[in-house]
Amino acid sequence: TSGTAAWTDAPYAWSGNTSEAIGADAQGTAIGTGYRNTQAMVTQSSTAGRAGTVSRAYRGPNSLSDWYLPSQDELNQMYVNKNAIGDFSTDLYWSSSENGDPFAWGQRFDSGSQYPSTKYYPYYVRPVRAF
């Protein structure tokens, strides 16, 4: 995500609806489920400036429209490879994996710890795309 239209990590609330669960469509944790989770987030609430909507709105240096918020396991792979990817904060990053009504999974990039956090807190976001 470098070069023209580079992404800059910034904190956002998880979604525009932080009190109601989306359900099974946003609870995938495995690699390959982040896109579906993010689509479900945006379908439930298209509020601009939230983790799901900013990830889906990002177009990157090649104007591609398939960016999304990573699932819990996808985010963990980013943590495992954080030195190769680069430029992460040491704070918490949101995944697209919901964990009930007011919670979604996040991951600290200093310790690697994963835990559910309240959706309205602004945590860092790093969109990804499959290729």
Side-chain angles (χ1 to χ4, degrees):
T1 62
S2 61
T4 306
W7 175 262
T8 302
D9 291 352
Y12 299 93
W14 193 75
S15 170
N17 184 340
T18 59
S19 60
E20 295 178 55
I22 297 169
D25 287 344
Q27 294 177 353
T29 58
I31 291 175
T33 60
Y35 187 86
R36 187 186 80 194
N37 290 345
T38 307
Q39 286 294 96
M41 291 168 68
V42 173
T43 297
Q44 183 195 45
S45 173
S46 60
T47 303
R50 300 299 193 259
T53 54
V54 299
S55 295
R56 287 294 299 130
Y58 182 59
R59 294 298 177 253
N62 296 318
S63 297
L64 300 172
S65 61
D66 57 350
W67 294 88
Y68 60 93
L69 191 63
S71 70
Q72 182 181 5
D73 291 350
E74 291 165 341
L75 185 62
N76 188 60
Q77 283 303 302
M78 294 172 72
Y79 171 77
V80 168
N81 294 289
K82 68 181 181 179
N83 293 332
I85 298 169
D87 297 325
F88 283 99
S89 166
T90 57
D91 207 343
L92 189 112
Y93 278 78
W94 279 125
S95 81
S96 61
S97 302
E98 183 179 62
N99 187 296
D101 288 348
F103 300 106
W105 285 97
Q107 182 159 358
R108 292 201 58 89
F109 268 64
D110 55 355
S111 66
S113 299
Q114 292 184 325
Y115 50 88
S117 188
T118 308
K119 294 176 184 175
Y120 60 79
Y121 284 118
Y123 294 128
Y124 283 90
V125 169
R126 175 77 62 98
V128 297
R129 57 182 294 273
F131 57 91

